Amino acid sequence: YGSFGETLDGPIQLSTMDADKTIAFTLKQTSKLNSDTPAYLQFAILYTTGDNQRKVRVFNYTMAVTNSISHVYSSIDMDGLIGLEARVHMATMQKQSLGNTRNELCETCIRILAHYRKAVSTSSASGQFVLPESMKVYPLLLLSLMKTPAYGLMDNVRLDAKVANIIQLSELSFTYLLMRLYPKMYSVAQIINPEEPYGTLIINPTNNTESNAVFKPVNLPCSADKIVPTDAYLIANSDFIYVYLPKDVSESILMEVFGKSTVSELVPEAVSYTHLRAHETGRNLVCRLLLEKKKKKKKK
């Protein structure tokens, strides 16, 4: 499943391959596995480089085998699950109505959670809604997926926007797809106060000393009850980074970041970070906007 032409038989063929290409697939188990020994998977990509060299890249994986369904639910990779569900159901849109595809998406969620309720969480009250710890946000992510233009009803979405979003979701990595459905939110106060022990230490690659390091703040739940009225926030959804400023945002934050004392003095302006995405890793991307702002101040 992915943004490529279907093949009835043989290997998958892609016109190009780069770091942003992702492929989802399912495996069929045809024989019984021994839980005492791991299972091994091997994948290979045969490609031609830009200077016309034929190369092969091989990936080897070791996977634990278990007979316990509770172990399966506790070790679910949410990025992989949502990415697979999005790709599988997008593939059915060409063969059935959009309404049936949306219903199948809901029924898949119901089956997974109902089986957990029946097979694992048997001691809970019958009327209690129980979710495995690794799938706490699973219904929320599926609801967000159904609100995307790709899965939206045609009454509310233009056809060209729907097709473009289907192609985009088919190409996004699972990490970026999850950000699209549930954006990451970071506190600006934690970014501009690196002496406080927030998040992950990131060394500035241009000057490999800890004195020039910044802290990537912790990822906050994207919820209104987590917002402090005096703080500002970066909200990243893999496509845009928004700066959210509450009306009571601290004057010190406005002066540090924008050089203004009130929100009314700011002029809303879109900032492109295409160059940043090409040269920065996702780990420190959220910090770079503020770092660039500080560099401009120092030059002045």
Side-chain angles (χ1 to χ4, degrees):
Y1 305 96
S3 183
F4 53 85
E6 293 187 8
T7 54
L8 299 178
D9 192 16
I12 298 173
Q13 297 183 1
L14 301 174
S15 58
T16 60
M17 174 60 69
D18 53 48
D20 295 325
K21 291 290 188 300
T22 56
I23 301 172
F25 54 87
T26 57
L27 300 176
K28 183 178 181 180
Q29 181 181 336
T30 58
S31 60
K32 186 176 180 180
L33 299 177
N34 187 353
S35 59
D36 297 330
T37 57
Y40 301 95
L41 298 176
Q42 186 177 82
F43 309 93
I45 299 178
L46 179 64
Y47 63 98
T48 304
T49 63
D51 53 358
N52 205 30
Q53 294 183 15
R54 294 288 281 172
K55 294 186 177 181
V56 61
R57 177 168 292 185
V58 180
F59 302 87
N60 298 301
Y61 294 91
T62 302
M63 305 179 68
V65 179
T66 180
N67 294 324
S68 172
I69 190 65
S70 62
H71 291 168
V72 174
Y73 277 98
S74 63
S75 60
I76 284 179
D77 178 9
M78 186 54 58
D79 292 19
L81 178 60
I82 292 296
L84 179 63
E85 290 293 335
R87 302 286 178 82
V88 168
H89 292 287
M90 274 192 289
T92 65
M93 289 183 182
Q94 301 177 2
K95 305 173 183 178
Q96 62 183 10
S97 67
L98 178 60
N100 289 339
T101 300
R102 288 166 58 93
N103 289 336
E104 287 182 358
L105 196 62
C106 293
E107 290 172 1
T108 300
C109 177
I110 293 172
R111 284 198 307 270
I112 293 176
L113 298 181
H115 188 71
Y116 175 81
R117 183 70 178 78
K118 181 179 179 181
V120 180
S121 183
T122 56
S123 59
S124 303
S126 58
Q128 186 178 0
F129 183 54
V130 183
L131 290 172
E133 188 63 32
S134 61
M135 302 179 68
K136 290 292 187 182
V137 294
Y138 180 50
L140 175 63
L141 294 175
L142 283 185
L143 180 60
S144 297
L145 181 63
M146 293 179 66
K147 291 182 178 181
T148 60
Y151 284 90
L153 298 176
M154 290 302 298
D155 295 341
N156 305 321
V157 183
R158 299 196 318 269
L159 181 59
D160 57 343
K162 176 180 287 293
V163 174
N165 192 241
I166 290 175
I167 296 174
Q168 188 178 45
L169 295 185
S170 298
E171 294 180 341
L172 278 177
S173 69
F174 290 171
T175 301
Y176 282 134
L177 174 60
L178 206 67
M179 286 179 61
R180 180 65 58 86
L181 301 179
Y182 190 79
K184 292 183 180 295
M185 186 169 73
Y186 302 94
S187 166
V188 172
Q190 293 181 9
I191 298 176
I192 63 179
N193 294 310
E195 55 279 341
E196 298 185 24
Y198 291 120
T200 306
L201 180 66
I202 304 171
I203 302 296
N204 189 336
T206 60
N207 190 347
N208 193 20
T209 60
E210 194 162 325
S211 61
N212 289 279
V214 295
F215 282 90
K216 176 186 174 181
V218 294
N219 179 25
L220 302 174
C222 197
S223 176
D225 60 349
K226 300 297 181 181
I227 293 179
V228 178
T230 57
D231 198 357
Y233 296 89
L234 293 180
I235 301 177
N237 71 345
S238 80
D239 199 14
F240 298 98
I241 293 182
Y242 299 95
V243 181
Y244 174 70
L245 301 174
K247 63 178 182 179
D248 297 325
V249 61
S250 170
E251 182 179 339
S252 61
I253 292 180
L254 291 176
M255 289 299 298
E256 176 71 19
V257 179
F258 301 104
K260 306 291 183 181
S261 58
T262 62
V263 176
S264 60
E265 298 180 62
L266 301 178
V267 178
E269 181 181 0
V271 179
S272 171
Y273 66 100
T274 304
H275 175 78
L276 303 180
R277 290 190 64 180
H279 295 83
E280 299 292 335
T281 64
R283 187 182 180 198
N284 61 356
L285 180 59
V286 294
C287 301
R288 182 56 62 183
L289 289 178
L290 294 178
L291 288 177
E292 291 293 325
K293 182 66 178 179
K294 289 185 177 181
K295 287 179 181 179
K296 291 180 181 178
K297 283 186 177 181
K298 290 179 180 180
K299 289 181 181 179
K300 292 180 180 178

